[in-house]
Amino acid sequence: MLPNIFHNGRQLSRIFQCTLQMYRQRSLTTGVNEIPLSKDHYNIKRGPFSVATDADIKHFESILPAGNQILLGLEETVGYNRDYFKYVRGLGAIVLKPRTSEEVSNIMRYCNNKRLAVSVFGGNTGVCGGSIPVFDEIILSMDLMNRVESIDKYSGILVCESGCVLGKLEEELAMEGMMMPLDLGAKNSCQIGGNVSTNAGGIRLLRYGSLHGSVLGLEVVLADGTIMDLMSNVKKDNTGYHLKHMFIGSEGTLGVITRVAIACPTATKTQNVLFLGLRDYSSVLRTFLECKACLGEILTSFELIDRDALECCIEHLRTSSPIGSYPFYVLIETTGSSKQHDAEKIRDYLEHVIGHGIVSDGVVTNEPSKITKLWQLRERIPEATYSNNFCLTFDLSLPLKNFYDIVPAMKDRVGHLVKLVCGFGHIGDSNIHLNIAGDELTPEIAELIDPFVYEFTRKLRGSISAEHGIGLLKPKYLKYSKSAESIDLMKQLKLVLDRNGILNPYKVLC
Ligand code: ZN
């Protein structure tokens, strides 16, 4: 059995468990007006949309007669015009907060008739600028659509409105002995509608799969105001095309998600975290294979951290590693229903991988405070790398055999010009985060990185955005993961569902 040791690190709050997708970091203390307007920064031309008039505002007031449902003027709407990371900025001077699907429908019908563009706003935790207006789009905030409609503990199904905060849903479900199938560091801010719209991944995906599997049904308001009832309370339903999938991950460009039915697992009772050191990447792969074979149904997360990523995180957090220095580390989490059963499985697993020389060193714990500290060594890597003057970050899906190749390849290209090139991420989901950080991002460095990373990913038939989406920041890179025919079909679908292009313009598709 491995020693259950741990060095005391500074207790720090959870911020984000996944890497934050930002092309260039901007300090979180940057003033709002210092953030360049997205339209200028990305050189975007305004679409052929109307400009809202006083008559339009009067009409919105008739649709939303209750108080606190409309905000007017850039001072009032400032929080809706920049992302959490202050990376994109828009000029939307009208925020509408509907309370019902009918109100959303009335707003959309009116905006469609008047050719007013609309940007849908959730918890503002997206990392690709997908929910922030670019020009003067009407901002549709889902904050007030936050009712839990039903929790069926027998079928394991939650039905709620799209503005429900993920963490609140987790609390409601816990009272019924259930849990959400997804978990994000941003769970106390992000909304389930935004999670579905962006097909959020998170740290439970290895165990419970993506939202394409968990979401049983949706209610969506289309651009012309049509309320599409795609709700379903059953897990098996083979009747025709499953239109819900079009809206999952469509980032608000095809419709406004207003209600969600989602399959939720029974809450787990036990939790263990293992933090292991490995001498090379082939040992990481062998450890993962053995992990799946030995831990099976209790495996929840399998995360990779390379030496440079851990050292950067440790320096930033002013903490230390619980084990010696190795080229690679993996963080494994298990959850289950029996403490004894899980402990036996973990013991057998560790004896096997250590006995065969696959794993060099490690610690294991089931104490909540130690679990939190171990997770921080993974969760806070992005924040640590962003403490440099610039940090480029990539969110790639790559086949596991070649998962880590991008890191040494990038070191060869720019390692002598920057301070840090590191790799970490979700081995269990084949999703690596590549971060490159330094003092100054010169054109010479930028040219060595882009489009190399995207071409590298395309050659391996990977994805240039594994879990963060396309939003405003990456439409021009979509072609590296989707064929011209696929993009053309996406554009046709967009036209069918949103003939006037008023829904979340400038996002996802160029
Ligand atoms: Zn991630």
Side-chain angles (χ1 to χ4, degrees):
M1 191 67 181
L2 289 174
N4 187 354
I5 57 166
F6 199 89
H7 295 270
N8 287 326
R10 203 175 64 180
Q11 185 70 38
L12 293 157
S13 64
R14 284 187 168 201
I15 300 179
F16 273 76
Q17 286 169 340
C18 288
T19 310
L20 314 175
Q21 175 71 39
M22 292 187 287
Y23 193 61
R24 285 174 206 175
Q25 187 211 2
R26 192 161 282 119
S27 165
L28 296 182
T29 57
T30 302
V32 170
N33 291 328
E34 293 173 55
I35 308 167
L37 289 166
S38 299
K39 69 182 178 70
D40 300 330
H41 193 66
Y42 300 103
N43 197 22
I44 299 169
K45 189 168 167 278
R46 191 177 185 280
F49 306 112
S50 305
V51 175
T53 63
D54 288 346
D56 295 324
I57 292 170
K58 215 166 184 126
H59 190 81
F60 292 137
E61 286 169 348
S62 74
I63 295 173
L64 305 173
N68 304 322
Q69 284 188 271
I70 302 179
L71 301 176
L72 298 173
L74 287 174
E75 275 191 22
E76 287 285 306
T77 64
V78 64
Y80 298 81
N81 276 300
R82 51 120 182 95
D83 61 335
Y84 177 81
F85 306 101
K86 300 181 179 178
Y87 195 66
V88 292
R89 184 157 70 99
L91 293 167
I94 302 173
V95 174
L96 306 180
K97 297 186 175 187
R99 291 180 190 274
T100 66
S101 303
E102 287 69 30
E103 288 179 351
V104 175
S105 170
N106 290 336
I107 291 166
M108 290 310 304
R109 186 177 301 109
Y110 183 81
C111 288
N112 195 43
N113 290 338
K114 293 285 184 176
R115 305 292 191 271
L116 290 165
V118 176
S119 181
V120 189
F121 188 93
N124 198 11
T125 61
V127 288
C128 293
S131 66
I132 304 299
V134 177
F135 292 91
D136 55 349
E137 294 92 296
I138 307 292
I139 298 166
L140 196 60
S141 162
M142 306 310 287
D143 282 358
L144 302 183
M145 292 193 64
N146 57 5
R147 287 170 287 259
V148 174
E149 296 180 12
S150 64
I151 295 175
D152 178 349
K153 65 180 176 184
Y154 298 105
S155 302
I157 296 167
L158 163 77
V159 178
C160 66
E161 292 181 328
S162 60
C164 288
V165 172
L166 181 64
K168 288 275 178 200
L169 294 176
E170 187 75 57
E171 288 173 14
E172 297 255 353
L173 287 166
M175 289 192 275
E176 300 293 334
M178 296 161 63
M179 60 190 277
M180 288 298 285
L182 77 160
D183 185 14
L184 310 172
K187 66 183 170 189
N188 292 323
S189 302
C190 66
Q191 298 175 1
I192 188 66
N195 297 147
V196 174
S197 293
T198 57
N199 191 22
I203 57 169
R204 291 179 186 160
L205 193 136
L206 171 64
R207 176 84 162 263
Y208 300 110
S210 85
L211 289 172
H212 280 288
S214 306
V215 171
L216 302 178
L218 295 174
E219 180 187 81
V220 182
V221 177
L222 301 184
D224 67 359
T226 303
I227 299 177
M228 292 292 296
D229 181 359
L230 308 173
M231 293 296 277
S232 172
N233 288 352
V234 293
K235 291 181 180 171
K236 299 178 83 172
D237 172 21
N238 280 357
T239 53
Y241 306 151
H242 272 224
L243 300 174
K244 68 182 179 190
H245 291 296
M246 279 199 308
F247 300 98
I248 299 171
S250 66
E251 301 183 56
T253 61
L254 299 181
V256 182
I257 294 174
T258 45
R259 295 169 67 219
V260 179
I262 185 163
C264 299
T266 301
T268 53
K269 293 176 180 168
T270 61
Q271 185 182 24
N272 285 277
V273 166
L274 295 73
F275 192 86
L276 311 176
L278 302 105
R279 63 179 177 273
D280 52 36
Y281 182 69
S282 69
S283 297
V284 173
L285 287 184
R286 287 179 69 197
T287 304
F288 183 47
L289 271 188
E290 296 297 338
C291 186
K292 287 194 286 186
C294 296
L295 300 179
E297 80 287 352
I298 64 169
L299 177 60
T300 305
S301 304
F302 192 103
E303 301 281 317
L304 175 79
I305 305 166
D306 73 9
R307 176 149 49 200
D308 289 329
L310 188 75
E311 285 179 357
C312 178
C313 189
I314 282 171
E315 188 185 337
H316 181 69
L317 299 182
R318 294 177 194 162
T319 184
S320 56
S321 170
I323 58 177
S325 181
Y326 293 91
F328 296 95
Y329 305 87
V330 296
L331 186 156
I332 300 168
E333 182 175 276
T334 68
T335 53
S337 56
S338 163
K339 206 171 174 179
Q340 188 185 351
H341 168 268
D342 294 3
E344 281 174 14
K345 282 193 145 200
I346 291 167
R347 185 195 62 215
D348 291 348
Y349 168 64
L350 290 175
E351 281 178 1
H352 179 77
V353 288
I354 292 169
H356 284 77
I358 304 169
V359 167
S360 304
D361 193 6
V363 294
V364 58
T365 185
N366 59 9
E367 291 181 35
S369 63
K370 291 178 180 175
I371 285 174
T372 300
K373 286 177 181 174
L374 284 177
W375 262 114
Q376 284 184 351
L377 295 176
R378 162 63 187 88
E379 291 168 10
R380 303 197 68 178
I381 295 168
E383 179 191 329
T385 59
Y386 296 156
S387 63
N388 286 282
N389 280 347
F390 81 87
C391 179
L392 308 185
T393 180
F394 297 89
D395 164 39
L396 312 169
S397 273
L398 294 168
L400 280 188
K401 266 192 191 169
N402 306 98
F403 185 83
Y404 194 73
D405 293 353
I406 186 71
V407 179
M410 194 50 72
K411 277 184 178 168
D412 283 349
R413 292 175 73 82
V414 299
H416 57 294
L417 300 170
V418 301
K419 282 166 71 178
L420 176 72
V421 177
C422 68
F424 55 97
H426 320 284
I427 283 268
D429 310 330
S430 296
N431 173 194
I432 191 168
H433 299 306
L434 166 71
N435 280 18
I436 302 159
D439 290 329
E440 188 189 358
L441 180 62
T442 63
E444 180 194 6
I445 296 171
E447 281 169 19
L448 287 167
I449 295 169
D450 176 1
F452 174 79
V453 172
Y454 298 109
E455 285 169 353
F456 185 98
T457 305
R458 175 161 60 188
K459 274 183 202 150
L460 293 166
R461 296 188 68 80
S463 171
I464 58 112
S465 180
E467 61 180 356
H468 296 157
I470 298 297
L472 179 70
L473 303 187
K474 291 187 282 185
K476 71 176 181 177
Y477 302 115
L478 192 57
K479 64 184 179 187
Y480 288 94
S481 283
K482 291 284 181 285
S483 66
E485 293 79 10
S486 300
I487 294 173
D488 190 46
L489 183 55
M490 285 184 211
K491 287 180 177 172
Q492 290 180 51
L493 283 169
K494 168 76 175 168
L495 208 55
V496 167
L497 291 166
D498 180 13
R499 178 160 298 280
N500 299 315
I502 62 164
L503 261 175
N504 230 8
Y506 324 109
K507 317 286 172 58
V508 183
L509 296 165
C510 290

